Amino acid sequence: MAKKKDAYTVIPVNVEEKEMEEMQPVTDKTDQAEDEMEERFDKEFWLMVQNKVKDANLSWNRAMDEVRVDRLIKKYDKNALLVIIQDWPQKKKYIDKPELIPSLEYLISRLTEIILERDTEEVYKFFRVPKDSDSAQPTLMHLAAEQNFLHVTKSLAERYPGLMYLWTRKKDDNPSSLPVELALKKYKDDTAAYLISQMRHDRVQELFLCKDDEEQSSAKFFFGHYISYKNPRTNEPGMKKTVIAILDKLINPHWPYLPRGIEYDDNEEDIARCLSSVPDDPMNYDFFYHVLEADESGRQPKIKVATEVDEQGTPIKTETVSNLKFNHKSLSCLRRIAESGNKAAVQHPVVRMLVSRKWNKFAHWWFCVEGSFYIVFLTLLSYALIYGSTLDDPTQYGGRANGLRLFCEVLSIIFLMFYFFEEVNQAERSRRTYFKDPYNYFDWLGLILTFLVIPLRFAEVRYQWNVAALGYLFNFLRLFKFSCVTRTTGLYTKTLARIIYRDITRFSVVFTIVFLGFCGAMFMALKATGSQELFSNYAWLMLAAVRALVEQQPAEEDYSKFSWLSILILLAYMAMVIVILLNILIAQLSYTYSEAKKTAKLQYAIDTMFIVTRLEYSRCLRWNLRIKNYLDGAWISEEDLAKELLEYTDNRHPFETMEERLTDIREIMRKVVRKGKDKEA
């Protein structure tokens, strides 16, 4: 097939540069119809680009974009942005290959910036899709948010901030929506997070709270849903950025202001000096907790009702009362954050301050009470089982000591029943996440094994004491659940658990291979000299090999009984296990502790959140601590933030001044407050 005349176009860029050749591919009519909006790089296009480069002193890429925009505006006039944002992503090649969308979005964002720069008459400020195309008449920002075009959304928001607050037209079946609402409905994390960061904090909070009417109509969105949302493809949290952006909007900073002086005031110089000394960072913050405490309908645990009104019906006095429409059985957002694994959300100042308030107000006290009662239970169980094991017939209760044992057994059974129903309640409430916690398996093993002692005892089965021993052990291990009373004990417990399920497991695999190999070789080598009776049987040889590791003692003191091969095998085993493997294990344990110490702050925060949300939940409305201790917000100073957020940092020296602490806390809050300043409508 012969090539067209313009298949290769030569364009001189300047005198020194080489000539540039651009091949224009030959396309059939089907491809042209399918890609009718695709710009063709023909000879005329490159000549226009060359003129842009020379006349406007632009880069080559910028000149190409400028020419593209010229052609788009010439062809579509004011609908140019609508075409590239709405129509281009719907082309067949992008629908068939979604992985090409990011590159398309980059191209569209560049063209959008140029078009908006030329929009001197503000044509796109209130531009909407024609009604005949879409009865909802969305704006350009609605289209960009729905497509998750982050850079396009940024360009529109920076040029026309009011677009963030424009609604679509209300239709019969669909209510009107803001751009951020479309992004939230479509789970577009990047765009939703950006729009939320640019909106006013009160407008963001309204999205997740019920309407202020008599019926308390449900909120448009439930914050907890986005905390727990998982990406269907990766099964990972899919709205992490949005969750952090919403939490940021639960903080309203207050900057210090000085009164304005008169223009020609005598103290103008002093006032200017005072103004220059005002810090750039806010001194206090309003922290809002109502979104975190709301149920799935956005209803708060407590509401304000008017107790006295004037003639016009305006409330004069109000009183905070429990909200009867609040679902006290709903899973709180704090619990969802703890289960989500979103580290940034767990350590967010709003979450930390709310958890700290609840922990100090009621959770720590109740947790200590629970721990005290459990120690009482272990004391009663210890006397009942240990003293009972000294008797020939534990079913007989004659004498004072046995009477006390009977009393301890009855109370122990009552405690066991209480803990059994408590575990059932937690399992029913947490469901899937409940069985992900290994401590819960210890709880059930301790309860079930201890309950089994009762029928086994009256059946006079001697193995009851084996069952009782295991049940007693697991019940004592359950005491580790109360280690989070302080951060130090919590760190030790978590480190011990990590050592058991990670380091000891790895070590056991390697040790088992070495152990079985050497035991088999040793036993066969002993057969050659008829010395197998030194270890009675193969099981005793294996026990001696394990004792060599645990007790760090040789398997046999007198080597004269063995042949040269047995001695070599024994020495090699001792060197491998005691010198190499054991020292590797010690080094690994040291590394695990240092690693656990680095994450102790995060782990303690998560554990505290689990404890708080468990204690505040109650099926009985009267005993629900979440309602009883509800607070919709608080005024937080820098000192309060420094006390809570810097409390667990390990690299702080003991003689640190308050000014140094405030400097650090301002650095932390600066990242939260200034991610995006509120933009007015």
Side-chain angles (χ1 to χ4, degrees):
M1 180 177 178
K3 295 182 180 178
K4 294 182 180 181
K5 181 179 179 180
D6 294 335
Y8 293 89
T9 304
V10 179
I11 300 177
V13 179
N14 52 42
V15 178
E16 286 96 16
E17 294 183 355
K18 294 182 178 180
E19 294 184 341
M20 173 180 169
E21 295 184 353
E22 177 68 25
M23 179 178 180
Q24 178 64 37
V26 179
T27 57
D28 56 23
K29 293 183 179 180
T30 304
D31 294 335
Q32 291 179 2
E34 183 179 314
D35 297 335
E36 60 179 357
M37 287 174 288
E38 186 74 29
E39 295 294 337
R40 299 187 63 188
F41 296 164
D42 52 12
K43 181 178 180 179
E44 181 184 358
F45 175 84
W46 291 113
L47 288 174
M48 294 174 66
V49 171
Q50 181 185 13
N51 293 333
K52 289 279 186 181
V53 172
K54 288 183 177 181
D55 299 341
N57 194 23
L58 300 176
S59 65
W60 191 260
N61 290 334
R62 176 71 178 191
M64 291 176 63
D65 292 341
E66 291 277 355
V67 174
R68 279 186 167 186
V69 169
D70 291 338
R71 289 188 169 190
L72 285 169
I73 294 177
K74 182 179 179 181
K75 185 174 182 180
Y76 301 106
D77 194 23
K78 66 178 182 179
N79 291 326
L81 269 182
L82 176 62
V83 169
I84 64 176
I85 295 176
Q86 185 182 46
D87 297 342
W88 282 16
Q90 302 303 320
K91 293 167 64 176
K92 187 176 184 302
K93 70 176 183 179
Y94 296 115
I95 295 177
D96 295 340
K97 296 182 178 180
E99 62 272 12
L100 298 178
I101 292 293
S103 60
L104 174 65
E105 196 264 342
Y106 179 62
L107 170 63
I108 293 175
S109 66
R110 300 200 317 264
L111 301 181
T112 301
E113 290 179 3
I114 297 174
I115 294 175
L116 292 178
E117 288 175 2
R118 299 183 182 184
D119 187 25
T120 56
E121 298 180 0
E122 298 186 346
V123 174
Y124 296 105
K125 186 174 184 179
F126 301 104
F127 181 87
R128 291 181 179 271
V129 176
K131 190 174 183 179
D132 54 352
S133 300
D134 190 342
S135 58
Q137 292 189 273
T139 65
L140 294 173
M141 186 171 287
H142 284 92
L143 300 177
E146 198 169 12
Q147 297 281 356
N148 200 29
F149 286 170
L150 176 61
H151 298 290
V152 177
T153 304
K154 285 183 177 180
S155 299
L156 292 169
E158 291 171 0
R159 181 74 176 182
Y160 303 120
L163 288 175
M164 293 186 295
Y165 301 99
L166 289 183
W167 301 80
T168 57
R169 305 300 186 192
K170 187 176 182 180
K171 297 191 295 185
D172 296 336
D173 52 344
N174 290 324
S176 55
S177 302
L178 293 173
V180 67
E181 295 179 13
L182 292 181
L184 289 171
K185 290 177 182 178
K186 297 288 185 178
Y187 300 104
K188 307 299 184 182
D189 190 27
D190 294 330
T191 307
Y194 173 75
L195 289 173
I196 288 172
S197 69
Q198 301 301 306
M199 294 175 65
R200 288 174 52 87
H201 70 278
D202 53 342
R203 297 292 294 270
V204 174
Q205 294 169 17
E206 288 175 1
L207 298 174
F208 302 94
L209 296 175
C210 66
K211 295 181 180 179
D212 190 14
D213 53 20
E214 187 175 350
E215 297 297 327
Q216 297 186 38
S217 303
S218 298
K220 290 187 174 182
F221 304 97
F222 175 43
F223 183 37
H225 172 69
Y226 293 97
I227 296 172
S228 304
Y229 174 75
K230 301 283 187 180
N231 190 316
R233 291 179 296 177
T234 62
N235 201 31
E236 295 291 331
M239 299 293 284
K240 279 187 174 183
K241 298 178 182 178
T242 301
V243 169
I244 299 301
I246 295 171
L247 290 174
D248 290 342
K249 287 303 174 180
L250 298 182
I251 299 177
N252 185 28
H254 289 273
W255 276 272
Y257 295 99
L258 291 178
R260 295 181 180 179
I262 304 176
E263 186 176 357
Y264 298 102
D265 195 279
D266 295 336
N267 299 325
E268 182 178 355
E269 184 177 348
D270 295 335
I271 293 176
R273 190 181 300 112
C274 292
L275 287 171
S276 64
S277 65
V278 175
D280 296 331
D281 301 297
M283 304 292 291
N284 299 285
Y285 306 85
D286 270 333
F287 276 44
F288 298 96
Y289 303 138
H290 46 19
V291 173
L292 288 169
E293 296 280 31
D295 61 9
E296 62 275 1
S297 298
R299 299 186 179 99
Q300 303 170 44
K302 289 184 178 181
I303 55 176
K304 291 182 179 180
V305 296
T307 57
E308 185 178 347
V309 296
D310 57 14
E311 297 178 355
Q312 288 76 25
T314 305
I316 300 176
K317 293 182 179 180
T318 59
E319 182 182 0
T320 303
V321 297
S322 298
N323 187 359
L324 299 179
K325 295 185 178 182
F326 173 74
N327 182 12
H328 65 281
K329 296 182 180 180
S330 63
L331 193 64
S332 69
C333 291
L334 287 180
R335 180 78 179 199
R336 293 175 182 269
I337 290 175
E339 294 175 352
S340 67
N342 190 343
K343 298 179 181 179
V346 171
Q347 300 184 87
H348 195 277
V350 173
V351 176
R352 289 284 300 276
M353 294 306 296
L354 177 58
V355 173
S356 175
R357 175 186 172 274
K358 292 188 174 187
W359 178 255
N360 295 327
K361 188 174 180 62
F362 66 88
H364 184 264
W365 187 85
W366 277 109
F367 192 60
C368 291
V369 170
E370 280 191 348
S372 301
F373 274 105
Y374 194 76
I375 292 175
V376 172
F377 161 68
L378 290 178
T379 303
L380 297 172
L381 185 66
S382 299
Y383 182 81
L385 291 179
I386 294 176
Y387 180 71
S389 65
T390 63
L391 303 176
D392 295 332
D393 187 3
T395 59
Q396 302 299 320
Y397 295 95
R400 291 184 178 181
N402 284 319
L404 179 60
R405 180 170 63 89
L406 176 62
F407 175 75
C408 292
E409 288 179 354
V410 172
L411 289 182
S412 297
I413 293 173
I414 294 174
F415 272 108
L416 285 172
M417 294 178 64
F418 172 78
Y419 291 132
F420 175 81
F421 287 113
E422 183 184 19
E423 293 299 326
V424 171
N425 183 33
Q426 291 184 29
E428 186 272 335
R429 182 168 177 250
S430 302
R431 297 182 182 179
R432 295 180 181 179
T433 58
Y434 176 82
F435 294 99
K436 293 181 180 180
D437 187 357
Y439 285 108
N440 292 326
Y441 293 99
F442 290 156
D443 296 345
W444 281 106
L445 285 173
L447 294 173
I448 293 173
L449 291 174
T450 309
F451 271 125
L452 286 176
V453 174
I454 300 174
L456 292 176
R457 173 169 296 183
F458 287 97
E460 297 183 355
V461 178
R462 291 187 59 83
Y463 290 107
Q464 63 172 296
W465 297 112
N466 294 335
V467 176
L470 292 175
Y472 183 75
L473 174 62
F474 283 115
N475 278 304
F476 252 90
L477 291 177
R478 192 184 181 192
L479 194 60
F480 284 131
K481 294 186 72 171
F482 300 95
S483 63
C484 291
V485 173
T486 64
R487 186 176 73 95
T488 304
T489 55
L491 172 62
Y492 287 143
T493 304
K494 294 299 178 182
T495 304
L496 177 62
R498 186 175 297 185
I499 288 173
I500 292 174
Y501 73 76
R502 192 178 71 175
D503 296 336
I504 298 298
T505 303
R506 296 174 183 174
F507 175 80
S508 299
V509 173
V510 179
F511 173 73
T512 301
I513 296 173
V514 176
F515 167 75
L516 293 177
F518 276 97
C519 285
M522 183 67 178
F523 197 68
M524 287 183 285
L526 291 174
K527 179 65 176 177
T529 57
S531 304
Q532 287 183 338
E533 66 276 2
L534 293 174
F535 293 98
S536 300
N537 53 42
Y538 186 68
W540 282 99
L541 176 61
M542 296 177 69
L543 177 61
V546 173
R547 291 182 62 188
L549 170 67
V550 177
E551 301 176 4
Q552 298 187 29
Q553 297 292 332
E556 180 61 42
E557 295 291 343
D558 188 6
Y559 283 7
S560 61
K561 304 175 184 178
F562 303 131
S563 64
W564 64 271
L565 180 58
S566 301
I567 295 174
L568 287 178
I569 293 174
L570 194 58
L571 291 176
Y573 173 77
M574 299 293 290
M576 177 68 73
V577 172
I578 296 180
V579 178
I580 300 177
L581 289 183
L582 192 58
N583 282 282
I584 291 176
L585 177 62
I586 294 172
Q588 185 64 38
L589 297 184
S590 177
Y591 173 77
T592 299
Y593 180 78
S594 61
E595 189 181 42
K597 193 174 182 181
K598 293 178 182 178
T599 60
K601 172 184 173 182
L602 175 63
Q603 189 60 52
Y604 183 73
I606 295 175
D607 293 340
T608 306
M609 290 174 66
F610 275 115
I611 295 170
V612 167
T613 53
R614 178 178 62 83
L615 291 174
E616 69 179 1
Y617 173 80
S618 175
R619 294 180 180 272
C620 181
L621 184 62
R622 178 176 296 181
W623 298 101
N624 193 291
L625 297 177
R626 181 178 171 188
I627 298 176
K628 185 177 180 181
N629 297 279
Y630 170 73
L631 185 67
D632 60 352
W635 179 277
I636 306 296
S637 65
E638 286 185 329
E639 289 79 5
D640 297 331
L641 287 171
K643 181 180 178 181
E644 173 60 26
L645 300 185
L646 303 181
E647 180 181 0
Y648 309 126
T649 305
D650 297 323
N651 57 356
R652 316 197 72 84
H653 58 82
F655 302 104
E656 186 179 33
T657 63
M658 178 56 70
E659 187 61 32
E660 292 175 330
R661 293 172 64 85
L662 292 179
T663 301
D664 291 340
I665 203 64
R666 287 167 186 166
E667 183 65 27
I668 294 174
M669 295 304 297
R670 193 178 295 120
K671 298 177 182 178
V672 175
V673 173
R674 297 191 177 179
K675 284 180 180 177
K677 295 183 178 179
D678 295 348
K679 294 188 178 181
E680 300 286 347

